[in-house]
Amino acid sequence: MCSNARQITTARRVKNAFSFLSYLLQAELPIDFTPDGVGHYPCDLTLKASDDVRLYRIECTVIPSGSVAELRFTTPAHTPVKQNVPVVNQTADKWLLKADITGSGFTGPRSMTAHAQSTSFYPLTFTPAFESTNKGQLKLMNTADGMEHTFSLVGVGEKPLALEHLVLHCTANQRKTVSIRVPNVTNQRLQYHVSSDLPIITGAKTISVLSLQEETFDVALLSRRRGDYSGALCFVADGKPFIEVDSDGDEVGGPAPPPTPDLEGYTVWYSLEVHVLPAPCIASIPVSCAYRSATEVDIPITNPGSSELTLQVALQGDELHGANELVVSPSSTEQYRLTYQPLSVGIKSGSVIFFSEKVGEFWYDLQLDGMTAEPVTLSPMQCELGRSSTQTVSLANPTGDPLLLEIQSPNTHNYSLNTKSPLVVPPKSTEDVLLSFTPSALGRDRHVAEIVFVSEKLGTLSYNVSGSGLMPRREEPLLQICAALGLTGTTVIPFTNPADLSVMATVRLTAESDASSWSLLLKTASDIALSPHSTLYIPINFKPSVMKAERGRCSVEICCANGEAWDAVDGAPVYKLHFHYPIDGIPEYTLPCTLKKQPKVVCVANSRVEEVFEAALCAAEPGEEAFSYRLELASAASAADLESCVALELLKQTTCDDDDDKTPLLLTFNILFTPKGTFSHDVELVVTASGGAVWRFPVCFQATDPSFDDVIDIEAAGLGQTSIVKFSLTSQSNEPARFRAYFEGLKDTGVFSVTPVTGQLAPSGSTFHVAFKPRMYGKGYEARLIIEARNDRWMYKVRGVIPDYKPPKAQSAYKHLRSSACIR
C-alpha cells in the first residue's frame, strides 16, 4: 500500500530527507538523486520491518536550466525580416510556451506549442521604423514548470528601401497631377521636407502627417520633351514636433514637447519611373523613294518670337539624314531639309523631332515608302566570238541581317554568274559577283539581258546588261605536243560552236617548216556540220624526225549553214569566221644514253658528295649551243628533301664521235649532294635546247644512314629502375636553333626516353637527359637517338647495359643431418 507520495522538481543533484512516524517516534531517511539528463524519473521506495511494511512513490521531473542566446537582425527601415527561433523539446510531453517581447520593432505571437520529442520554431519579426539600432528581449516561459528560455535581441535598421516603385505616365508639354500616400509609423506627428532629383516633378515643399496615419501628397508632372526618366521622391522628417497655431499666432495645445533626436532624418521615399509620351504630331508627311536612290524633304519652321530660336533636331529612322540643329531668326521661317534613303522596300514610320527650352517639343510624323529599286544599267561588254569577258557586280546589304538573294537570269547562253542561287550576303557588307559574257553572234542585237536578284527585304534588284560580239582575231592559247624521237604524240583540240545556229566547219593543219611531222586525224576535214553550241574534237599527231621543235597551226573556219552572212564589218558582209590554234611540237629523247658512271648519287646523311655526271645529247641538231637544264621532281616529298641539298652546275659542253658517225653533244655536270636525312628519290635531269628539243636523263638520289656521332652506354640500376646519362649539344650558328629529339628503331616503348623532346638549341649549349629503364634480364636494348636542328642532324647509338644475373646462394638448414636419418 502507498502511504505517501512526493514529487520533486530538480535540475541538479538533490539531497532530501523523508520523515517516518511510528507512534510518537520520528526518523529521517536521506536520499540522493543525480539525474542523467532532462526527463521524468518515477521511483517506488519500500520500507520493511518485522511487523510493518510501508511503500512510497517518488517522482522527479528534470527540466533544462535557463539559457540566454543573442539574436541579431539587420534590415532596411520599414522592411520586415523574420527569424524562426528553434525550441527543442526532448521530453515526452508537449509544452505550452508564453512569449514576452520587449524592444522597439520586435513582434511575434503571444504563445506557441512545442511538441514532444521534436524541434518547434517561434516566428520572430523585426520591422524597424527608422534607421537605428534597437535592443530587446524575448522570453519563452513553459507554463507547466515555469522554466524560461531567454533571448537577447539586437535589431539594426539600415537606410530604408523605397516604399514602392511607382511607374508614372504623362504627355510632353501637358501637366499631370499624381497623388502619392505618405505614411507616419511613429508615435508623434511629423513634418516631412519633400525633395526629388527629377526636374519634371513639382509640388509642396513640406507635408504634415499625424502619428500612425498617412496623408496624400500631390505632385505635378510636366516635361517639355518625350523620354524616360528615373529618380526618387524623398520625404525627410526634421525630428521637430509639429506645432499648430491659432489665428493670433498662439500655440494650440500648450507648449511644444522637446525634439526627438531618434526621428531626425527619418526618411520615407519612393523610386520613380516616368514615361513621357510625345504630344500629337504637327502633321503627317508622306515620303516615297526607290531603293538605292535618295529624296529630300523640306519642312518649314516659323519663329513668331522676337528673339532667335535654336532648335535641337532628332531623326527617328535609320534611313533619315539631316542636320541636328536648326536656327530660326525672329519673325521668320526657315526650311529644315532632310534626306530619305531607303535601305529596304516597304512602308515604315519615321519622325523628325524639334526641341528647345523655350517652346518645348514638337514633331512631324513621316510615312516612309521604300519602293522597288530602279534597274541599273551595267557597262556594255564586248568580246571576241568564242571567248569570254567579265565584269564585277557589287551587291550591298545595308541591313543588320543576312540577305538572301534569289538569282533570275533567263539568258544563260551569253551571261553567267560565278555563284549559285540563292546568294547570301552577310549583314552590313558587300558581295562582289563576277558576271561573264560569252557572245554567240557578231554585234549586240542578241546580247541584251536582264539579271534579277530577288529578296524579301530589298524587293527586286534588276541589272540591264548588253554585250557585243567581235570578230575572232586573236589566236587561242598555245598548245604543246611532246613526242619521243621517231614516235608519235597526240593531242585533241575541242572546238565549240559559239553560235546560236548551225554552222559548217572546215579544219586545216599547217606547219611552219616540216609538214611531214604533222597529221590531222579526221575522216572529213571540210563541211563538218555542227549544231548550236556543240563541240568538235580535233585529234592531231606529231611525229618528230629530228631533235628540233616544230610550230604548227590548226585553223577552223565556220560559216552559217543557211549560207547567210554573220554580220557587216566596216560595211562589208562577213560570211566566214576563222579560229586559230598554235601548237608547239616538242621532240624528246628518252632512250638510255651512254654515261661514264651509273646514274645514281649515293651519300651518307649529314655528309656531302660530289659527282660528275655526263649526259650525251644524242641526235642533237648541229649548231645547237645554248641549253638550259633543271631537275624535274616527281612529288612534293622529293621536292622537300632535295631542293635544299642538291646543287647542279654545268661544267663543260663538248662534241664527241660515236660509232654511227654522228656527233652528239656531251654535257658534263657537277652534282653536289648534301642530304640531312635518309631517303631515296628518282628524278629526271631535263636538258632543253634553244630550238625546243628536250632530253631526259633519269637520276637516283639516295641518302643512307650515317655513321653514329657517338655511342652512349647506360648501365641499368636494376629492373624497373631508371638510369640517366647527360650530355650537351651546341648550336652550330650564333643564334638559337629549334630542335627535335626522338628515337628510331625502338621496339619496346618506355625503355629509353629523352628530354627535352623539343626546344631551342642554344649557342652556349643545351643539356639532354637520356633515361634507361629495363624490364627484364637477359635481353639487350639498343636504339638510335636522333636530334635534328635547322641545318644539322646528330645520331647516337644508345645501348642499355644489363648487369649479370647472379642467383642467390643459401646454406641448407639440415647440413648436419646424417645420412642415416634420411627416409628410405
Side-chain angles (χ1 to χ4, degrees):
M1 116 184 157
C2 180
S3 60
N4 194 3
R6 189 169 181 178
Q7 183 176 357
I8 301 174
T9 302
T10 181
R12 58 187 60 88
R13 186 169 181 265
V14 176
K15 290 185 178 180
N16 209 333
F18 291 85
S19 299
F20 303 97
L21 298 179
S22 177
Y23 299 103
L24 297 178
L25 298 177
Q26 181 175 342
E28 291 186 355
L29 177 64
I31 299 177
D32 290 342
F33 173 61
T34 304
D36 294 331
V38 178
H40 189 71
Y41 297 85
C43 176
D44 293 334
L45 177 62
T46 304
L47 300 179
K48 294 182 179 181
S50 59
D51 57 352
D52 191 4
V53 176
R54 300 189 183 191
L55 179 62
Y56 291 85
R57 169 62 60 86
I58 304 172
E59 294 181 0
C60 295
T61 302
V62 181
I63 63 175
S65 58
S67 59
V68 178
E70 183 180 272
L71 300 177
R72 296 185 64 88
F73 299 80
T74 301
T75 181
H78 310 296
T79 302
V81 60
K82 183 180 178 182
Q83 174 67 51
N84 290 322
V85 181
V87 178
V88 181
N89 181 5
Q90 297 181 353
T91 67
D93 301 323
K94 67 178 181 179
W95 296 345
L96 178 61
L97 304 177
K98 287 187 177 182
D100 181 20
I101 302 175
T102 60
S104 176
F106 296 101
T107 58
R110 289 191 167 187
S111 62
M112 68 165 291
T113 300
H115 297 281
Q117 301 294 329
S118 64
T119 300
S120 302
F121 296 94
Y122 178 81
L124 180 63
T125 303
F126 174 61
T127 308
F130 41 84
E131 186 178 353
S132 64
T133 299
N134 301 329
K135 294 184 178 181
Q137 190 177 65
L138 168 64
K139 289 185 179 181
L140 298 177
M141 186 182 67
N142 192 337
T143 58
D145 53 19
M147 186 60 191
E148 291 184 351
H149 302 263
T150 305
F151 299 89
S152 177
L153 307 178
V154 178
V156 179
E158 297 180 336
K159 289 184 179 181
L161 299 177
L163 286 181
E164 189 177 350
H165 180 71
L166 301 179
V167 180
L168 308 178
H169 299 271
C170 65
T171 303
N173 292 325
Q174 297 181 12
R175 184 182 298 273
K176 181 179 181 180
T177 302
V178 178
S179 296
I180 298 176
R181 61 180 182 84
V182 182
N184 178 9
V185 298
T186 67
N187 293 323
Q188 74 175 42
R189 188 174 186 177
L190 294 179
Q191 184 170 349
Y192 294 103
H193 293 272
V194 186
S195 63
S196 177
D197 57 351
L198 292 178
I200 64 175
I201 290 181
T202 58
K205 294 183 178 180
T206 62
I207 180 176
S208 176
V209 184
L210 296 176
S211 172
L212 301 178
Q213 294 187 21
E214 64 180 32
E215 296 289 341
T216 58
F217 180 78
D218 294 335
V219 295
L221 303 178
L222 179 60
S223 176
R224 306 292 288 173
R225 67 191 310 175
R226 72 183 72 186
D228 298 327
Y229 304 87
S230 59
L233 180 62
C234 300
F235 301 87
V236 182
D238 55 10
K240 298 179 181 180
F242 182 75
I243 303 175
E244 292 189 23
V245 296
D246 56 16
S247 59
D248 297 330
D250 299 328
E251 295 182 4
V252 179
T260 306
D262 292 341
L263 296 179
E264 186 174 357
Y266 174 74
T267 303
V268 175
W269 67 284
Y270 293 86
S271 61
L272 301 179
E273 182 181 338
V274 183
H275 300 284
V276 182
L277 304 177
C281 63
I282 301 299
S284 182
I285 304 175
V287 185
S288 60
C289 182
Y291 173 70
R292 291 191 301 204
S293 300
T295 186
E296 294 181 342
V297 179
D298 290 334
I299 301 176
I301 304 298
T302 302
N303 178 15
S306 59
S307 61
E308 187 178 75
L309 178 63
T310 301
L311 295 171
Q312 300 176 16
V313 185
L315 298 176
Q316 290 188 345
D318 296 336
E319 302 166 334
L320 300 175
H321 309 278
N324 55 11
E325 186 178 87
L326 177 67
V327 179
V328 186
S329 301
S331 302
S332 64
T333 300
E334 295 288 342
Q335 298 289 336
Y336 178 78
R337 177 166 294 178
L338 62 86
T339 303
Y340 170 50
Q341 187 175 7
L343 303 178
S344 60
V345 298
I347 304 273
K348 295 175 289 296
S349 295
S351 60
V352 53
I353 305 168
F354 301 91
F355 172 77
S356 75
E357 295 294 342
K358 293 181 180 179
V359 300
E361 176 187 290
F362 61 95
W363 63 288
Y364 291 84
D365 178 53
L366 303 178
Q367 298 297 322
L368 307 176
D369 184 10
M371 300 184 297
T372 301
E374 296 292 335
V376 176
T377 300
L378 299 176
S379 301
M381 306 178 71
Q382 59 181 8
C383 183
E384 293 182 9
L385 202 64
R387 294 176 178 268
S388 297
S389 63
T390 60
Q391 72 167 309
T392 301
V393 179
S394 296
L395 300 172
N397 178 13
T399 67
D401 301 319
L403 184 64
L404 193 67
L405 295 174
E406 295 286 345
I407 303 175
Q408 300 176 1
S409 179
N411 188 354
T412 56
H413 289 297
N414 301 120
Y415 297 97
S416 62
L417 297 170
N418 66 334
T419 184
K420 295 182 179 180
S421 181
L423 171 66
V424 179
V425 183
K428 303 291 183 180
S429 64
T430 300
E431 192 78 15
D432 291 334
V433 178
L434 200 63
L435 175 64
S436 298
F437 167 57
T438 304
S440 57
L442 296 180
R444 59 177 299 175
D445 295 339
R446 302 179 185 178
H447 304 138
V448 178
E450 181 183 23
I451 301 175
V452 180
F453 300 89
V454 181
S455 75
E456 295 182 358
K457 294 182 179 181
L458 304 184
T460 301
L461 305 178
S462 299
Y463 293 85
N464 294 328
V465 60
S466 61
S468 299
L470 305 179
M471 287 281 294
R473 301 184 184 279
R474 294 180 299 169
E475 290 186 343
E476 297 295 328
L478 181 66
L479 301 177
Q480 282 189 350
I481 303 178
C482 297
L485 188 64
L487 301 179
T488 302
T490 304
T491 188
V492 177
I493 300 176
F495 172 76
T496 301
N497 176 17
D500 291 331
L501 44 84
S502 298
V503 298
M504 302 299 292
T506 299
V507 182
R508 297 182 178 89
L509 181 62
T510 59
E512 292 184 356
S513 57
D514 186 6
S516 62
S517 300
W518 301 89
S519 59
L520 185 65
L521 302 180
L522 284 177
K523 293 182 179 180
T524 302
S526 60
D527 295 333
I528 303 173
L530 294 177
S531 59
H533 305 292
S534 62
T535 300
L536 171 65
Y537 295 96
I538 305 172
I540 297 175
N541 279 357
F542 172 65
K543 184 178 180 181
S545 58
V546 295
M547 290 297 291
K548 184 178 181 180
E550 296 282 347
R551 172 65 61 87
R553 180 189 299 268
C554 177
S555 300
V556 180
E557 177 187 286
I558 62 172
C559 59
C560 295
N562 54 15
E564 296 181 357
W566 289 99
D567 200 352
V569 177
D570 296 332
V574 177
Y575 291 95
K576 296 180 180 181
L577 299 178
H578 296 88
F579 301 88
H580 303 287
Y581 297 88
I583 311 170
D584 274 352
I586 307 298
E588 290 187 350
Y589 196 93
T590 57
L591 296 177
C593 55
T594 303
L595 300 174
K596 293 184 177 180
K597 290 187 178 181
Q598 186 178 359
K600 187 174 185 180
V601 183
V602 181
C603 180
V604 176
N606 290 331
S607 60
R608 57 178 286 164
V609 67
E610 291 190 38
E611 295 279 354
V612 175
F613 184 89
E614 294 183 346
L617 306 185
C618 300
E621 288 291 307
E624 288 282 4
E625 295 182 355
F627 297 93
S628 62
Y629 54 90
R630 61 185 172 86
L631 285 178
E632 188 170 281
L633 307 178
S635 63
S638 61
D641 290 336
L642 295 176
E643 281 181 349
S644 61
C645 65
V646 175
L648 191 64
E649 180 186 6
L650 178 61
L651 297 179
K652 60 182 179 178
Q653 175 180 326
T654 58
T655 303
C656 61
D657 296 332
D658 59 8
D659 298 338
D660 298 332
D661 296 331
K662 293 183 179 180
T663 57
L665 291 176
L666 186 66
L667 302 184
T668 304
F669 294 93
N670 181 65
I671 300 176
L672 176 62
F673 185 33
T674 58
K676 298 300 180 184
T678 58
F679 53 80
S680 179
H681 295 296
D682 292 326
V683 301
E684 284 187 337
L685 171 61
V686 180
V687 179
T688 304
S690 58
V694 175
W695 288 264
R696 294 180 179 272
F697 303 94
V699 182
C700 176
F701 287 91
Q702 184 176 2
T704 60
D705 288 334
S707 59
F708 293 106
D709 292 283
D710 202 350
V711 178
I712 302 175
D713 289 330
I714 308 176
E715 186 173 350
L719 288 183
Q721 299 182 15
T722 303
S723 302
I724 297 178
V725 171
K726 301 178 183 179
F727 67 95
S728 296
L729 280 180
T730 59
S731 174
Q732 300 303 301
S733 62
N734 295 328
E735 298 180 354
R738 187 166 185 82
F739 70 86
R740 182 172 70 100
Y742 60 94
F743 278 97
E744 279 186 352
L746 188 60
K747 298 180 180 179
D748 296 332
T749 59
V751 175
F752 290 108
S753 62
V754 59
T755 56
V757 177
T758 59
Q760 296 287 338
L761 196 62
S764 59
S766 298
T767 302
F768 292 85
H769 297 75
V770 182
F772 173 51
K773 186 178 180 180
R775 296 179 179 176
M776 62 180 67
Y777 285 109
K779 180 180 180 181
Y781 293 94
E782 189 174 300
R784 291 191 302 271
L785 173 61
I786 310 296
I787 301 178
E788 294 178 342
R790 181 169 39 233
N791 296 318
D792 301 287
R793 189 174 188 267
W794 295 269
M795 185 169 69
Y796 299 90
K797 184 176 183 180
V798 182
R799 296 184 300 191
V801 180
I802 302 204
D804 295 334
Y805 176 74
K806 296 180 180 180
K809 296 180 179 181
Q811 294 182 351
S812 174
Y814 303 97
K815 64 180 181 178
H816 301 296
L817 187 65
R818 296 180 179 178
S819 60
S820 60
C822 296
I823 300 175
R824 295 178 180 177

